[in-house]
Amino acid sequence: MTIADRWLLPDGMDEVLPPQAARMEELRRALLDHYHRWGYDQVMPPPVEFLDSLLTGTGTDLELQTFKLTDQLTGRLMGVSADVTPQVARMDAHSLKRQGPVRLCYCTTVLRAKADQYQGGRSPVQVGVELFGHAGQQADLEILHLALSSLMVAGAQEIHLALGQIGIYRSLVQAAELDPEQERAIFDALELKSPGELSLRVAEGVQDPGLAEMFRALVELHGGEDVLTRAREVFAEAPAAVGAALDQLEALSAGVKAAYPEVELYYDLAELRGYQYHTGMMFAAYVPGYGQALAKGGRYDDTGRAFGRARPATGFSMDLKLLASLSVEEPSCDGIWAPFDEAPELAETVASLRGAGERVVQALPGQRTGPKEHRCNRRLVQQEGQWRVVSLE
């Protein structure tokens, strides 16, 4: 190993340096304060849990993303958290055991075994909210409001919101009475967005002609507002649960447009990402210049069941590192430069200024850098026996 190799970080790992670290911390505070004003209580899940608890109620995707290690005290397998959402669901179901709606928020670093196009890097700082205990669309709309307002707090512009409803596909699968192999084949074809492959798999597995046509139409039901109109026609004879899912999408769409008319809406009724745990509404928010969603979430009512307390649940998460990159402004140059001097009067003045919230940088003996390099636009000078703050200009 060369000297240069010693400083290499693993692929997908990054360090955060000034001024980006300052922007992240400022944004973290702003977001948590924002959630506090909406009534969300902050929680801090542990970075490591026993594997059987950490992965309970989750899909295989999360298991593949989880770093595993052996606990030296018990010999049991442990996992490093790759997604905070299941941990917060455990807190609601097992630790808090509150009645009625529970609103929780968090901001913590997670670790993933590999990066991918949906989740970004391997060590994101995950920030988000979860709302437990309410199954109505009002809870989903609150989550959508919070996701969009969070992006605006971070400085996002030209937000594009993609909405989906996993309940439509689930209802069609149930009505068609597909076996696991047939369902998997249709699922894979839908993920590929391949009409030809989908028609082939539907012909192999779906006996009812009406349901077969509905499955084939799914891959084309994506785009603007007309998608919901076309879906009403396609699913006119579908099970009642499909109509209810479309009703919810229309209501959520109307709520978003009323509060955020500048947000561009997109619909995709064949979006199956998170199929293993999502149970209803799903969404992802994008901004130009970023190849992945900056916020993503939806409803996942079944997660708490594994912890002995099934509760309705909806929420979203974001990567604070990505959010902080939305702002390219340099940190403010607002510090006060203090000379190196051991005079008690100067020490008292510096302490007083810091106590008032000022940023005071005191020079060290022999220091060659000056106020500008340390983001100071003022300095302390002695005038008529008093230490005073004056502008560098």
Side-chain angles (χ1 to χ4, degrees):
M1 177 182 291
T2 66
I3 293 178
D5 290 337
R6 293 176 184 169
W7 311 116
L8 290 177
L9 293 173
D11 288 344
M13 302 293 179
D14 56 356
E15 56 193 6
V16 183
L17 305 175
Q20 182 73 352
R23 283 198 288 266
M24 283 182 58
E25 177 60 17
E26 182 179 356
L27 181 56
R28 183 192 70 85
R29 294 175 185 173
L31 288 172
L32 291 178
D33 287 346
H34 183 56
Y35 304 149
H36 172 75
R37 289 189 289 270
W38 279 68
Y40 285 75
D41 296 323
Q42 185 180 358
V43 293
M44 297 181 180
V48 178
E49 293 191 32
F50 288 122
L51 198 62
D52 51 0
S53 171
L54 189 65
L55 298 181
T56 296
T58 65
T60 56
D61 291 345
L62 186 60
E63 182 177 3
L64 293 174
Q65 284 284 41
T66 301
F67 275 101
K68 302 171 181 67
L69 60 155
T70 302
D71 182 12
Q72 298 299 308
L73 296 179
T74 64
R76 294 174 61 185
L77 273 179
M78 300 193 300
V80 181
S81 175
D83 184 0
V84 178
T85 301
Q87 294 181 282
V88 180
R90 175 186 56 77
M91 289 178 172
D92 171 72
H94 182 70
S95 302
L96 291 174
K97 298 181 181 178
R98 295 177 182 173
Q99 299 300 314
V102 173
R103 293 173 169 87
L104 302 176
C105 64
Y106 56 84
C107 184
T108 187
T109 299
V110 296
L111 183 64
R112 291 167 180 159
K114 59 182 179 178
D116 64 39
Q117 59 178 325
Y118 300 118
Q119 296 180 312
R122 297 170 68 191
S123 60
V125 178
Q126 190 175 348
V127 57
V129 305
E130 314 295 339
L131 200 168
F132 301 97
H134 194 281
Q137 67 189 30
Q138 297 82 0
D140 290 324
L141 187 57
E142 179 173 316
I143 289 299
L144 285 169
H145 281 315
L146 265 177
L148 294 172
S149 60
S150 295
L151 291 174
M152 292 176 180
V153 167
Q157 298 179 356
E158 298 182 51
I159 301 172
H160 299 253
L161 181 65
L163 283 173
Q165 233 291 357
I166 201 72
I168 294 174
Y169 175 74
R170 289 188 186 277
S171 297
L172 294 179
V173 168
Q174 184 176 9
E177 299 180 343
L178 300 177
D179 62 40
E181 185 176 343
Q182 293 169 332
E183 179 185 353
R184 186 71 216 182
I186 293 176
F187 178 92
D188 290 342
L190 278 170
E191 277 206 313
L192 291 172
K193 305 292 186 185
S194 171
E197 181 71 13
L198 179 62
S199 293
L200 179 62
R201 299 308 175 193
V202 168
E204 293 174 348
V206 181
Q207 304 303 316
D208 184 282
L211 287 174
E213 187 61 32
M214 294 177 197
F215 273 108
R216 284 192 288 267
L218 273 177
V219 75
E220 305 292 343
L221 290 174
H222 58 87
E225 196 76 30
D226 66 306
V227 166
L228 299 182
T229 303
R230 288 190 283 131
R232 289 291 186 186
E233 298 172 358
V234 169
F235 299 126
E237 303 299 324
V242 174
L246 289 174
D247 289 341
Q248 187 204 44
L249 270 184
E250 290 178 346
L252 293 176
S253 174
V256 169
K257 287 189 288 187
Y260 302 97
E262 71 278 18
V263 171
E264 184 172 334
L265 286 170
Y266 176 87
Y267 306 89
D268 188 351
L269 304 191
E271 174 56 67
L272 302 179
R273 176 175 45 84
Y275 176 67
Q276 292 177 316
Y277 57 90
H278 277 307
T279 58
M281 177 273 298
M282 303 184 303
F283 71 91
Y286 301 85
V287 299
Y290 289 80
Q292 63 194 77
L294 292 188
K296 51 188 178 292
R299 181 162 287 279
Y300 56 102
D301 289 341
D302 293 337
T303 302
R305 187 184 309 277
F307 301 105
R309 190 167 179 246
R311 296 251 287 168
T314 182
F316 72 92
S317 64
M318 307 173 292
D319 181 358
L320 189 66
K321 292 179 180 178
L322 274 179
L323 289 182
S325 69
L326 288 168
S327 172
V328 295
E329 296 179 1
E330 289 295 321
S332 57
C333 181
D334 58 0
I336 299 172
W337 181 259
F340 173 73
D341 194 315
E342 296 180 350
E345 296 82 1
L346 176 59
E348 292 175 5
T349 302
V350 168
S352 177
L353 288 168
R354 287 172 176 161
E358 292 281 7
R359 180 174 183 267
V360 183
V361 181
Q362 191 156 19
L364 295 171
Q367 183 169 339
R368 295 183 178 181
T369 52
K372 292 292 187 181
E373 291 88 347
H374 297 274
R375 296 193 288 113
C376 295
N377 62 351
R378 294 162 293 166
R379 71 190 317 152
L380 272 171
V381 298
Q382 196 170 31
Q383 296 176 342
E384 298 177 355
Q386 300 289 327
W387 287 99
R388 305 180 188 278
V389 178
V390 299
S391 172
L392 285 180
E393 302 301 327

